[in-house]
Amino acid sequence: MYVLECNNLSKSYGSKRALERIDLQLGSGRILGLLGPNGSGKTTLIKLAEGLLQPTDGQILIGGKVPGVETKAQIAYLPDREFLPDYMTVEQLLRYYADFFQDFDMERAEMMLKNLNINKAQRMKKLSKGTKEKVQLILTMSRDAKIYILDEPIAGVDPAARDYILKTIISNYSPDSLVIICTHLIADIESVLDEVVFLKEGRVVLHRNADELREETGKNIDGLFREVFRC
Amino acid sequence: MSWTFKEGVPIYTQLIEQIKMHIARGEFSPGDQIPPVRDLAMDAGVNPNTMQRALAELEREGLLYSVRTSGRFVTEDKTKLDELQGLLAEKYIEDMFISLRKIGMNKEDIVAAVEQHAKGEK
């Protein structure tokens, strides 16, 4: 069974078509790049997977089930902006996550925070942008989810933080889960991807193994992306 | 360990080449256990499936072998290691020939230059 499956999935906002008849079958044990320029439908697709939006047509299934209470417990989602109450301390957020998510691994989270020397007594609002993003990533990746959806996880962080984030994603790899990284900053992350999906104007224009693409085209994924989406 | 990747070449083939270099240079010695897939993938910053694929290919070529439950090791087979050294040497020589031909040298010039260079080496 697929971890995430879209069958003829469409979504419209009024008369605007955001997703147009998407067919996608995604298995576990993969780190997938969901790649497309702004407005290509990435966030709409994520929101449908999260059950935050309803399809206009077709269906999306998480582990064979329509998004709902049960599937939400299986998806760890890292939004592309700050989403945690900034008056809370890191310590309070750990407890908050542990209360909220049964699959939250406190030990793993504390270990990662310790490795980065992040002071748990600090309030979120006192942390630098890069540290805030790391805390958010640590909270997300410390869940034992079936699907991790990371929306622009490296936008706006320095190269050292980016390396840390990529290593965290790799070290957290499990053959039982699917990691989806949504981004348009491809060059920075392409070596960790094993599959890529290109979204263009609401359609899937390509879904392939990353190394096969490099072999066939003699280009890296970033180069290919620039070609497909040339303005 | 340092890893560098070129554009437009499959990462798994580049991993195979670079691990071979690590073995040839003795950074992985014959009989040594190599780190687990995940650690190597983290070190190289690549997808664990891609690293797994590269290691499987090196196993198929006989440069690595697996011991059930304890991990992967570098071969101690002298023939295999000599063969690897020979292949890498061939590649370096080929690269050298390409570079020297570009600056207008022919085969005889190159051989003469190499002999000249060897005389000067201690």
Side-chain angles (χ1 to χ4, degrees), chain A residues 11 18 46 49-50 76-77 120 135 156 168 170 173 179 192 198 214 223:
Chain A
K11 176 68 189 175
I46 293 171
E50 285 276 330
Y77 173 42
K120 287 190 290 179
V135 171
T168 304
I170 297 169
Y173 170 84
V179 179
V192 309
F198 279 12
R214 291 186 193 101

Side-chain angles (χ1 to χ4, degrees), chain A residues 131-199:
Chain A
T131 308
K132 242 181 254 177
E133 298 218 3
K134 285 181 206 159
V135 171
Q136 297 189 10
L137 180 82
I138 288 170
L139 289 169
T140 309
M141 297 308 275
S142 293
R143 290 182 53 196
D144 274 319
K146 276 264 176 265
I147 305 180
Y148 298 86
I149 301 177
L150 313 177
D151 198 357
E152 298 291 358
I154 51 158
V157 301
D158 62 73
R162 182 200 65 200
D163 283 355
Y164 174 79
I165 289 168
L166 293 181
K167 281 193 193 316
T168 304
I169 293 169
I170 297 169
S171 71
N172 201 61
Y173 170 84
S174 153
D176 302 321
S177 55
L178 167 69
V179 179
I180 300 176
I181 304 177
C182 308
T183 189
H184 53 260
L185 301 169
I186 300 166
D188 285 340
I189 59 142
E190 71 165 87
S191 65
V192 309
L193 304 177
D194 49 11
E195 247 176 61
V196 294
V197 168
F198 279 12
L199 266 187

Side-chain angles (χ1 to χ4, degrees), chain A residues 185-228:
Chain A
L185 301 169
I186 300 166
D188 285 340
I189 59 142
E190 71 165 87
S191 65
V192 309
L193 304 177
D194 49 11
E195 247 176 61
V196 294
V197 168
F198 279 12
L199 266 187
K200 187 177 187 181
E201 290 157 16
R203 293 170 191 269
V204 172
V205 292
L206 180 144
H207 177 197
R208 291 290 300 278
N209 173 281
D211 258 355
E212 279 173 24
L213 270 179
R214 291 186 193 101
E215 190 147 35
E216 270 170 38
T217 63
K219 295 189 178 74
N220 61 357
I221 308 300
D222 187 48
L224 202 62
F225 182 89
R226 284 164 201 264
E227 209 163 89
V228 171

Side-chain angles (χ1 to χ4, degrees), chain A residues 95-106:
Chain A
R95 288 206 298 272
Y96 185 58
Y97 259 64
D99 281 347
F100 233 99
F101 300 109
Q102 276 191 331
D103 60 2
F104 187 72
D105 184 340
M106 183 66 88

Side-chain angles (χ1 to χ4, degrees), chain A residues 29-31 167 170-173 191-194 211 214-215 218-220, chain B residues 7-13 38 41-43 45-50 53:
Chain A
R30 295 272 172 270
I31 302 178
K167 281 193 193 316
I170 297 169
S171 71
N172 201 61
Y173 170 84
S191 65
V192 309
L193 304 177
D194 49 11
D211 258 355
R214 291 186 193 101
E215 190 147 35
K219 295 189 178 74
N220 61 357
Chain B
E7 288 185 8
V9 182
I11 288 178
Y12 90 94
T13 54
R38 186 189 306 252
M42 269 175 72
D43 192 45
V46 301
N47 188 286
N49 293 318
T50 312
R53 188 175 171 198

